[in-house]
Amino acid sequence: IYEDIISVMMRTNGQGGGDGGDGDGGGGGGLEPSKIVFVSATPETIALKGSGGGNGLSEQSTVVFRVTDRSDNGVPGQQVTFNLSTNLGGSALQSPEGSTDTDGNVVAVVNSGSLPTPIRVEALTSVPTTGEISALSSVLNVSSGVPVSSRFNLYISADQTPCTQSPPDTCKMLVAYGFDRFGNPAVD
């Protein structure tokens, strides 16, 4: 019977330890970011600045992104910079940068402007080994949110499912679209 002692050190994606290196990718958490993804925007439609949200809408939206390593683990302490696709009407970010929490999430707060417009938030972060990575949010709508009759459309859907009614020709699927006075989709 032979007996050996084996020492193993594992290093994955520039992470790991044992040799004095901390694998720090500049984020302070010791993990190197691999990607940044859009998580959510709440709410997706915000009221025009100064409208006070009187129609049930807020004038701010919270946009969440997540920075992860190659194993899809959140990277804590990573600095992230935010940009808006437009600042039309004074739409602005509450802060142009943020730092990820312990789960790798970072929040951008968007304040509405005085003109209706779709807005997207871009999140960027630096990765020492590969450069910069970024992600775009889904579209946020700055809207008055109240549909007007001149921008209300009703259609018979081309995608018809069989009717259970008798006779079948009496059953049609209708689709309605409502927009505010500026042409933005109305809130549900």
Side-chain angles (χ1 to χ4, degrees):
I1 296 178
Y2 294 99
E3 200 173 296
D4 283 331
I5 297 174
I6 300 173
S7 295
V8 177
M9 178 178 69
M10 187 168 158
R11 189 179 244 348
T12 307
N13 304 329
Q15 303 168 24
D19 64 351
D22 66 359
D24 191 350
L31 304 174
E32 183 169 289
S34 171
K35 66 181 174 182
I36 184 167
V37 295
F38 166 70
V39 176
S40 65
T42 309
E44 292 182 352
T45 300
I46 54 179
L48 292 171
K49 182 178 182 178
S51 67
N55 52 12
L57 295 177
S58 172
E59 293 182 17
Q60 289 185 332
S61 180
T62 302
V63 182
V64 180
F65 293 90
R66 187 165 191 250
V67 178
T68 60
D69 63 14
R70 290 181 194 255
S71 301
D72 278 336
N73 298 313
V75 178
Q78 184 71 28
Q79 284 298 117
V80 177
T81 303
F82 304 113
N83 295 308
L84 287 182
S85 59
T86 182
N87 59 1
L88 186 68
S91 294
L93 291 161
Q94 194 165 359
S95 175
E97 60 187 19
S99 183
T100 57
D101 63 16
T102 56
D103 296 322
N105 294 322
V106 62
V107 174
V109 177
V110 178
N111 295 315
S112 65
S114 58
L115 295 175
T117 187
I119 298 175
R120 293 182 85 174
V121 179
E122 179 185 34
L124 302 108
T125 191
S126 294
V127 180
T129 58
T130 59
E132 204 168 66
I133 55 175
S134 65
L136 280 174
S137 71
S138 63
V139 175
L140 302 172
N141 284 306
V142 178
S143 171
S144 66
V146 179
V148 294
S149 62
S150 63
R151 294 191 182 250
F152 183 83
N153 301 309
L154 186 64
Y155 301 98
I156 297 174
S157 176
D159 180 31
Q160 294 293 321
T161 56
C163 294
T164 57
Q165 305 287 325
S166 168
D169 291 341
T170 62
C171 182
K172 298 290 182 192
M173 185 184 309
L174 300 177
V175 178
Y177 295 100
F179 300 87
D180 67 13
R181 61 190 170 127
F182 303 108
N184 295 304
V187 183
D188 290 343

